[in-house]
Short mmCIF file of all heavy atoms in Angstrom, two decimals:
data_model
loop_
_atom_site.label_atom_id
_atom_site.label_comp_id
_atom_site.label_asym_id
_atom_site.label_seq_id
_atom_site.Cartn_x
_atom_site.Cartn_y
_atom_site.Cartn_z
N GLU B 282 92.14 77.39 130.69
CA GLU B 282 92.91 77.11 131.90
C GLU B 282 92.78 75.64 132.31
O GLU B 282 93.77 74.99 132.68
CB GLU B 282 92.43 78.01 133.05
CG GLU B 282 92.71 79.49 132.82
CD GLU B 282 94.18 79.79 132.58
OE1 GLU B 282 95.03 79.17 133.26
OE2 GLU B 282 94.49 80.62 131.72
N GLU B 283 91.57 75.11 132.23
CA GLU B 283 91.37 73.70 132.61
C GLU B 283 92.06 72.76 131.63
O GLU B 283 92.62 71.73 132.02
CB GLU B 283 89.88 73.40 132.71
CG GLU B 283 89.20 74.07 133.88
CD GLU B 283 87.76 73.64 134.05
OE1 GLU B 283 87.29 72.81 133.23
OE2 GLU B 283 87.10 74.11 134.99
N LYS B 284 92.03 73.11 130.35
CA LYS B 284 92.68 72.26 129.34
C LYS B 284 94.17 72.17 129.59
O LYS B 284 94.76 71.08 129.57
CB LYS B 284 92.41 72.80 127.93
CG LYS B 284 93.01 71.91 126.84
CD LYS B 284 92.80 72.51 125.46
CE LYS B 284 93.83 73.59 125.17
NZ LYS B 284 93.79 74.03 123.76
N PHE B 285 94.80 73.31 129.87
CA PHE B 285 96.25 73.29 130.08
C PHE B 285 96.60 72.63 131.42
O PHE B 285 97.67 72.01 131.55
CB PHE B 285 96.84 74.69 129.96
CG PHE B 285 97.02 75.12 128.53
CD1 PHE B 285 96.14 75.99 127.92
CD2 PHE B 285 98.07 74.60 127.78
CE1 PHE B 285 96.30 76.35 126.60
CE2 PHE B 285 98.24 74.96 126.45
CZ PHE B 285 97.35 75.84 125.85
N ALA B 286 95.73 72.74 132.41
CA ALA B 286 95.95 72.01 133.66
C ALA B 286 95.89 70.51 133.41
O ALA B 286 96.69 69.73 133.96
CB ALA B 286 94.91 72.42 134.70
N LEU B 287 94.97 70.09 132.55
CA LEU B 287 94.86 68.68 132.18
C LEU B 287 96.10 68.22 131.42
O LEU B 287 96.64 67.14 131.67
CB LEU B 287 93.60 68.48 131.35
CG LEU B 287 93.31 67.07 130.83
CD1 LEU B 287 93.15 66.09 131.99
CD2 LEU B 287 92.06 67.08 129.96
N PHE B 288 96.56 69.04 130.47
CA PHE B 288 97.76 68.69 129.72
C PHE B 288 98.96 68.57 130.65
O PHE B 288 99.80 67.67 130.50
CB PHE B 288 98.05 69.76 128.66
CG PHE B 288 97.18 69.69 127.44
CD1 PHE B 288 96.00 68.97 127.42
CD2 PHE B 288 97.53 70.37 126.28
CE1 PHE B 288 95.19 68.91 126.30
CE2 PHE B 288 96.74 70.32 125.14
CZ PHE B 288 95.57 69.59 125.15
N ALA B 289 99.06 69.49 131.61
CA ALA B 289 100.22 69.51 132.50
C ALA B 289 100.28 68.29 133.40
O ALA B 289 101.37 67.83 133.77
CB ALA B 289 100.21 70.78 133.33
N THR B 290 99.13 67.75 133.75
CA THR B 290 99.11 66.59 134.66
C THR B 290 99.14 65.26 133.93
O THR B 290 99.31 64.22 134.55
CB THR B 290 97.87 66.65 135.57
OG1 THR B 290 98.04 65.74 136.66
CG2 THR B 290 96.59 66.30 134.83
N ALA B 291 99.00 65.29 132.61
CA ALA B 291 98.97 64.04 131.84
C ALA B 291 100.36 63.40 131.77
O ALA B 291 101.39 64.09 131.75
CB ALA B 291 98.45 64.29 130.44
N HIS B 292 100.37 62.09 131.71
CA HIS B 292 101.62 61.34 131.62
C HIS B 292 102.08 61.22 130.17
O HIS B 292 103.29 61.20 129.88
CB HIS B 292 101.41 59.95 132.22
CG HIS B 292 102.66 59.14 132.32
ND1 HIS B 292 103.67 59.42 133.22
CD2 HIS B 292 103.08 58.04 131.62
CE1 HIS B 292 104.64 58.54 133.09
NE2 HIS B 292 104.31 57.69 132.12
N ALA B 293 101.13 61.15 129.22
CA ALA B 293 101.46 61.03 127.81
C ALA B 293 100.21 61.35 126.99
O ALA B 293 99.10 61.42 127.52
CB ALA B 293 101.97 59.62 127.48
N ALA B 294 100.40 61.54 125.68
CA ALA B 294 99.27 61.88 124.81
C ALA B 294 99.42 61.23 123.45
O ALA B 294 100.54 61.07 122.93
CB ALA B 294 99.17 63.40 124.64
N LEU B 295 98.28 60.85 122.88
CA LEU B 295 98.17 60.44 121.48
C LEU B 295 97.34 61.52 120.80
O LEU B 295 96.18 61.73 121.18
CB LEU B 295 97.50 59.07 121.36
CG LEU B 295 97.19 58.58 119.94
CD1 LEU B 295 98.45 58.49 119.10
CD2 LEU B 295 96.47 57.24 119.99
N ALA B 296 97.94 62.23 119.83
CA ALA B 296 97.28 63.42 119.29
C ALA B 296 97.32 63.46 117.78
O ALA B 296 98.29 63.01 117.15
CB ALA B 296 97.95 64.69 119.85
N ALA B 297 96.26 64.02 117.20
CA ALA B 297 96.25 64.32 115.77
C ALA B 297 97.23 65.46 115.51
O ALA B 297 97.34 66.39 116.31
CB ALA B 297 94.85 64.70 115.31
N SER B 298 97.93 65.40 114.39
CA SER B 298 98.92 66.41 114.06
C SER B 298 98.30 67.80 114.00
O SER B 298 97.19 67.98 113.51
CB SER B 298 99.57 66.08 112.71
OG SER B 298 100.48 67.07 112.33
N GLY B 299 99.04 68.79 114.50
CA GLY B 299 98.55 70.17 114.47
C GLY B 299 99.16 70.99 115.59
O GLY B 299 100.15 70.59 116.22
#
Side-chain angles (χ1 to χ4, degrees):
E282 294 303 320
E283 290 186 359
K284 183 183 80 170
F285 281 102
L287 178 61
F288 283 16
T290 195
H292 187 71
L295 174 59
S298 177

